[in-house]
Amino acid sequence: MVRKLPKADVVVIGVGWAGGIIASELTKKGLNVVGLERGKERKTEDYFMVHDELRYALRYDLMQDLSKETITFRSKERIRALPMRQYGSFLIGDGLGGAGVHWNGQTFRFLPYDFEIRSKTIERYGKNKIPAGMTLHDWGITYDELEPYYDKFEKTCGISGEENPLGGKRSDKYPTPPMKKSPSIKMFEEATKNMKLHPYMMPSANLSQSYTNPDGIARAACQYCAYCERFGCEYGAKADPVVTVIPVAKKTGKFEIRTHSNVRRILHKGGKATGVLYTDTTTGEEIEQPADIVVLTSYVFNNIRLLLMSNIGKPYNPASGTGVIGKNYAYQVIKGNAIGYFNDKQFNTYAGAGALGMVIDDYNGDNFDHKDVNFIHGGMVSLSQTGLRPIQNNPVPQGTAAWGKEFKETSLKYANRYLSVGAQGSSMPFKHHYLDLDPTYKDAFGDPLIRITFDFEEQDKNLAVFLANKCAGILKEMGADHIDSLKELGPYDITTYQSTHNTGGVIMGADPGTSAVNNYLQMWDMDNLFVVGASAFSHNSGYNPTGTVGAFAYRAAEGILKYRDKGGQVV
Amino acid sequence: MAEENKEMPQDLSRRKFLRNTGYTVGGLAVGGIIGSLIPWKKDQTTNNPPPPHAENFNQALMYFTPEQFKIVDAATERIFPKDDNGPGASDLGVAFFIDHQLAGDWGFNARDYMQPPFYRGEKVQGYQGRLKRRDIFDIGLREIDNHSMQTLKKSFTELSGDQQDQILKDFEGDKVNITTISPSGFFQMLRSATLEGVYSDPLYGGNRNMDGWKMRNYPGSQMAYADVIEKDFTKIKPQSLQSHMNHK
């Protein structure tokens, strides 16, 4: 028997960045919001023992328990998809704050070019620049329209940064100054300036100084303790939903968070969402939470999975290219990087912060001429000092033995004597890259897992090598004695960590025929359902996605309020 | 704020271990299982005197048989050997670390997706077997010994270092004929687990005395680096998570 609860104004599925922002904005306006979070409660005090590389980085303490739910993967349709049985390529967050707890805090804005990528590519290079099968879309919104929401998210987080000389126009400067520059960052700065490139400090959600945000939330400065990515911040210096937006929503008295509540279906009738069905994972009880408005704010995979399992929206059909749910799954091309070994210099690379770094965008977006290269877009190139923890960071120059006496000696010698320059390559959508429900494998409830069909294309291979060469060039200018860089990208491999920047599947656009949500992230097919997150990205840019997810969440909150006042499609 | 480190006590000598634990059977000198419980090859020539309270209760087996333990101790020492930089895997307690890990969630693949059906996959799809890590270790260690006996007529622990390397290289290069597990997959797991044991916080039983960290000047768990982030290389005395337990 399903137990039915009293109706809420709004139910939010998943309480990470998107869910937290929606909850804070709507409760401020007097709406009652119920937040359903499948994982557990989280707070800053949980991180007393957080400097534990084994527990958090290697054993994935903060991540989704794959024994209960995972994804399946195949590189192409004729291969049988198989479950991702262990973590590798990306890490799926879990618990209050979601992936917003274990992120690094690198908080970028996408380029104006990104939002109108198809038009701008055709305008500058002609239609033939877009290869067959690349399903490039304009996003149905411009950078200028999105700018105020970027600004708002940056102020909520207190982003520490300086203006990107090659970025879009800003209405205001970053709320706090850039982080401290380590000697290796200064070397990168000098080298890139010598090369006539345009370095700027990475926009960081790790605060450079104490900061009080417009909601009155005060947080302390980052201590450069070097445990950000895969870890929670014991100082609250890294902006995450638990220390920013969630307390704002709670303070209104109108936000009820239910943890251990795993949403299984979105309920709907006559084209309108009526609420959700969820399981209390502590008791196994099935519960119905009715609501006037449903906001789907889980990670990319579950956003698509819940829509497909609930029969909402038209599933994408890769053969015909019709339908939208699951379309334009994209990722990130992250392997185009280089490592420089220095024989006579040691660095404090044991120290750092997730978003401590310096960036150039000279090879990102359309900031350079693509006439003579065999790809579109590009990627940001950076030297970041996130902290080299000892289990996971033992590189040795190519040709060195992987174990034994030589390995030990060499890896110890270079432990504090190497620097990486890395690129965050963009990922373009293709007709045959998509998400759908797996026909075979199930989660702990017996519901189908989501299935990824994805591989690297010529575009990605060319881009990765191009970016790796740029990284190597910078390390050479920095004076590295030996440089190893990527020579060939190879196929997409789910076993090696790349990035937790999975995007697409519920993409936004101006046309209901080719997109799933409008530019307020409202479903075209269901006016009272909003789907918020990187699932709305029609391709992935050459940056970390969270800044854009945050901006979209603020815009969606505005859209929800508009819908509440007027009903119907708000665009 | 920062407490002075309490370094982990040195291990007992074999004799002292026997005396303290009362492991004697009917007055006989112990060999067999009991003897192999203490494989610690304490280097008597080291000049630092053992501190007074030297028992390390963590150094006992949760999973391995004594025989398996000896193979792991020897194999991991080849992967990360003792040299002029400092101790190798054996002295760092890596085999104890792996033993303890296999006894828990990691050994049971408790947080991995282990539901059927099982199919052979493409390499890019990752591990698709039904065996748990502890099963893989059981098979892998047995096969290391089998391979040693077949090719060199001695069990692995009786081989010279160079011979042990040859056996491990055969596993690394998939030159061993086993069907139940992937030889190279097992070797890679052993190699990763070795590095984990060398460099994880000493609370897990490896990285004894924080010597893994000391060899590479890694400061371990410090609350803050705000004072050194802008500076050139700065050596900091390491501390482990245990130091945090002294704070309230």
Side-chain angles (χ1 to χ4, degrees):
Chain A
M1 259 314 276
V2 176
R3 180 158 60 102
K4 192 168 174 174
L5 299 173
K7 190 153 110 177
D9 294 332
V10 178
V11 64
V12 164
I13 306 168
V15 188
W17 267 126
I21 288 169
I22 298 289
S24 71
E25 292 305 288
L26 300 188
T27 53
K28 276 191 231 167
K29 299 288 182 187
L31 277 72
N32 284 301
V33 179
V34 170
L36 299 174
E37 168 54 50
R38 65 184 178 167
K40 64 179 179 184
E41 172 81 27
R42 287 225 165 87
K43 51 192 186 310
T44 300
E45 293 75 18
D46 294 347
Y47 309 124
F48 180 58
M49 286 280 143
V50 81
H51 293 177
D52 186 339
E53 187 186 9
L54 187 75
R55 173 177 169 187
Y56 291 95
L58 281 298
R59 302 287 183 260
Y60 313 110
D61 195 83
L62 297 179
M63 310 308 165
Q64 172 178 304
D65 180 350
L66 295 182
S67 75
K68 297 196 166 61
E69 184 188 327
T70 183
I71 55 95
T72 69
F73 159 68
R74 57 182 180 175
S75 45
K76 42 183 87 55
E77 281 180 271
R78 60 177 170 76
I79 290 171
R80 186 202 309 269
L82 293 174
M84 177 178 81
R85 295 187 181 276
Q86 304 169 357
Y87 276 115
S89 176
F90 47 82
L91 305 172
I92 309 168
D94 190 52
L96 198 64
V101 169
H102 75 251
W103 71 319
N104 262 332
Q106 305 180 1
T107 316
F108 291 91
R109 298 176 171 202
F110 286 1
L111 296 162
Y113 159 79
D114 278 305
F115 303 99
E116 298 164 89
I117 189 166
R118 185 179 170 82
S119 311
K120 284 183 186 280
T121 301
I122 292 171
E123 188 186 303
R124 187 166 174 186
Y125 306 104
K127 239 186 164 122
N128 292 338
K129 185 71 183 171
I130 304 172
M134 188 191 281
T135 48
L136 212 55
H137 277 262
D138 290 349
W139 292 35
I141 196 168
T142 62
Y143 171 84
D144 290 341
E145 287 172 280
L146 196 58
E147 202 283 335
Y149 308 98
Y150 271 126
D151 184 62
K152 190 154 190 189
F153 183 60
E154 287 165 0
K155 284 175 177 155
T156 295
C157 295
I159 302 302
S160 305
E162 61 187 1
E163 184 161 353
N164 173 3
L166 301 177
K169 203 166 165 295
R170 302 180 57 88
S171 59
D172 200 355
K173 57 186 189 349
Y174 283 106
T176 54
M179 299 190 84
K180 296 179 181 187
K181 286 178 190 170
S182 66
S184 61
I185 287 174
K186 285 184 186 153
M187 284 165 63
F188 178 88
E189 182 176 28
E190 199 188 312
T192 49
K193 276 186 178 162
N194 289 344
M195 296 165 84
K196 307 276 182 272
L197 301 169
H198 299 83
Y200 65 100
M201 283 297 280
M202 183 178 280
S204 167
N206 322 126
L207 290 176
S208 60
Q209 60 185 41
S210 59
Y211 173 71
T212 303
N213 79 8
D215 290 320
I217 299 281
R219 288 160 41 229
C222 172
Q223 297 301 307
Y224 302 86
C225 83
Y227 286 78
C228 282
E229 186 172 30
R230 307 189 182 197
F231 306 87
C233 180
E234 76 267 44
Y235 293 103
K238 174 171 75 176
D240 82 21
V242 179
V243 298
T244 56
V245 289
I246 292 172
V248 173
K250 275 181 160 170
K251 209 178 151 194
T252 63
K254 294 184 170 297
F255 186 39
E256 186 192 342
I257 300 173
R258 292 183 210 138
T259 51
H260 303 286
S261 299
N262 199 325
V263 174
R264 311 267 308 281
R265 296 291 184 278
I266 296 165
L267 305 170
H268 55 100
K269 204 174 173 182
K272 277 191 92 172
T274 56
V276 301
L277 175 77
Y278 71 95
T279 301
D280 176 340
T281 59
T282 61
T283 62
E285 189 183 17
E286 292 194 344
I287 300 168
E288 179 180 342
Q289 176 61 64
D292 288 330
I293 297 168
V294 175
V295 191
L296 182 44
T297 53
S298 67
Y299 196 64
V300 166
F301 298 120
N302 266 336
N303 279 3
I304 287 91
R305 195 165 86 107
L306 272 172
L307 291 175
L308 292 173
M309 290 197 303
S310 308
N311 297 311
I312 297 171
K314 195 174 172 208
Y316 177 63
N317 178 343
S320 62
T322 58
V324 286
I325 309 301
K327 176 182 171 174
N328 280 25
Y329 172 72
Y331 190 47
Q332 198 95 72
V333 176
I334 209 105
K335 290 186 176 175
N337 57 30
I339 296 180
Y341 297 89
F342 296 78
N343 289 330
D344 307 316
K345 271 199 190 98
Q346 286 198 79
F347 306 96
N348 286 340
T349 36
Y350 54 74
L356 173 62
M358 195 162 242
V359 181
I360 55 154
D361 274 327
D362 299 79
Y363 308 114
N364 205 352
D366 203 26
N367 290 345
F368 61 105
D369 191 350
H370 287 63
K371 201 158 66 304
D372 299 325
V373 295
N374 213 352
F375 58 85
I376 65 161
H377 213 301
M380 64 93 148
V381 169
S382 71
L383 180 138
S384 56
Q385 186 164 344
T386 58
L388 296 178
R389 295 173 292 273
I391 302 173
Q392 290 195 297
N393 297 288
N394 291 285
V396 285
Q398 244 166 42
T400 309
W403 53 279
K405 190 175 175 358
E406 182 183 274
F407 168 76
K408 182 186 176 188
E409 216 169 87
T410 314
S411 63
L412 289 176
K413 174 182 169 189
Y414 286 115
N416 304 302
R417 286 187 173 89
Y418 80 92
L419 299 173
S420 309
V421 172
Q424 186 123 232
S426 59
S427 176
M428 296 302 109
F430 285 84
K431 194 181 169 195
H432 50 285
H433 295 173
Y434 63 100
L435 301 170
D436 65 353
L437 295 177
D438 190 274
T440 308
Y441 291 96
K442 311 278 189 238
D443 70 6
F445 300 111
D447 286 331
L449 300 181
I450 195 85
R451 174 170 67 178
I452 302 175
T453 306
F454 177 81
D455 202 355
F456 288 136
E457 303 289 332
E458 280 310 301
Q459 148 89 24
D460 304 307
K461 292 175 183 173
N462 296 331
L463 174 61
V465 172
F466 172 86
L467 290 172
N469 291 339
K470 299 298 178 194
C471 294
I474 293 169
L475 278 164
K476 193 171 172 214
E477 180 70 24
M478 287 168 69
D481 294 299
H482 175 90
I483 299 165
D484 286 331
S485 63
L486 179 92
K487 297 286 178 261
E488 195 188 347
L489 180 61
Y492 172 66
D493 176 349
I494 203 155
T495 65
T496 53
Y497 186 76
Q498 288 153 69
S499 89
T500 305
H501 302 162
N502 315 79
T503 62
V506 197
I507 63 172
M508 64 193 285
D511 174 6
T514 55
S515 61
V517 293
N518 67 29
N519 65 23
Y520 284 94
L521 283 73
Q522 181 183 27
M523 285 284 293
W524 290 116
D525 289 353
M526 199 170 277
D527 294 343
N528 68 335
L529 175 61
F530 290 73
V531 186
V532 188
S535 53
F537 297 7
S538 171
H539 67 272
N540 200 8
S541 183
Y543 292 115
N544 308 59
T546 305
T548 303
V549 170
F552 278 155
Y554 276 109
R555 183 169 167 89
E558 204 178 287
I560 293 165
L561 292 167
K562 279 188 183 188
Y563 167 79
R564 185 177 168 250
D565 290 345
K566 293 187 192 135
Q569 287 287 313
V570 298
V571 284
Chain B
M1 198 188 92
E3 299 281 327
E4 191 68 345
N5 293 324
K6 292 190 186 63
E7 304 210 332
M8 297 264 287
Q10 295 256 346
D11 285 274
L12 285 174
S13 71
R14 191 182 169 99
R15 269 181 53 206
K16 203 165 169 189
F17 177 93
L18 290 172
R19 196 171 62 235
N20 287 359
T21 50
Y23 268 147
T24 50
V25 184
L28 292 170
V30 264
I33 288 181
I34 300 301
S36 59
L37 274 170
I38 2 148
W40 216 246
K41 304 178 285 279
K42 185 71 202 124
D43 188 352
Q44 299 298 337
T45 60
T46 46
N47 44 18
N48 25 344
H53 304 292
E55 280 170 291
N56 183 348
F57 296 107
N58 187 269
Q59 294 202 338
L61 298 181
M62 298 178 186
Y63 179 70
F64 286 139
T65 65
E67 225 169 291
Q68 288 177 319
F69 179 86
K70 281 199 272 188
I71 298 172
V72 173
D73 196 43
T76 54
E77 177 68 16
R78 295 314 300 169
I79 291 170
F80 198 85
K82 180 177 185 168
D83 65 2
D84 293 345
N85 291 294
S90 181
D91 286 345
L92 290 166
V94 167
F96 284 111
F97 166 85
I98 296 175
D99 170 75
H100 298 358
Q101 287 292 306
L102 286 173
D105 277 1
W106 188 73
F108 281 105
N109 297 53
R111 299 181 79 230
D112 294 343
Y113 188 82
M114 297 301 281
Q115 300 306 313
F118 293 96
Y119 293 106
R120 218 186 167 79
E122 305 283 324
K123 199 168 166 240
V124 295
Q125 292 177 304
Y127 179 66
Q128 292 297 333
R130 66 184 74 217
L131 295 173
K132 294 171 178 158
R133 290 185 186 90
R134 41 169 50 202
D135 306 323
I136 293 174
F137 262 88
D138 283 351
I139 296 169
L141 296 176
R142 191 179 66 222
E143 294 296 344
I144 281 183
D145 229 22
N146 286 346
H147 188 58
S148 304
M149 292 301 288
Q150 273 163 22
T151 54
L152 298 163
K153 313 283 176 238
K154 276 182 185 170
S155 65
F156 183 76
T157 49
E158 288 164 352
L159 299 176
S160 71
D162 285 348
Q163 289 173 316
Q164 288 176 334
D165 285 355
Q166 194 46 56
I167 299 295
L168 294 175
K169 274 181 193 155
D170 287 349
F171 274 76
E172 185 188 26
D174 275 324
K175 285 174 192 137
V176 191
N177 194 14
I178 330 173
T179 51
T180 43
I181 60 166
S182 148
S184 60
F186 171 62
F187 177 81
Q188 289 309 331
M189 195 190 295
L190 188 64
R191 179 189 179 271
S192 315
T194 303
L195 290 181
E196 289 174 2
V198 169
Y199 292 128
S200 54
D201 192 279
L203 83 90
Y204 294 100
N207 187 15
R208 191 165 139 270
N209 202 27
M210 299 188 286
D211 282 342
W213 290 345
K214 286 175 192 165
M215 280 187 277
R216 61 189 283 155
N217 289 320
Y218 183 71
S221 177
Q222 306 285 332
M223 293 306 287
Y225 294 122
D227 291 345
V228 301
I229 191 73
E230 291 169 302
K231 292 184 184 161
D232 287 330
F233 182 73
T234 314
K235 196 171 162 178
I236 295 175
K237 192 177 176 196
Q239 59 183 22
S240 72
L241 284 168
Q242 197 191 36
S243 66
H244 295 347
M245 295 303 289
N246 301 320
H247 301 283
K248 211 176 93 77

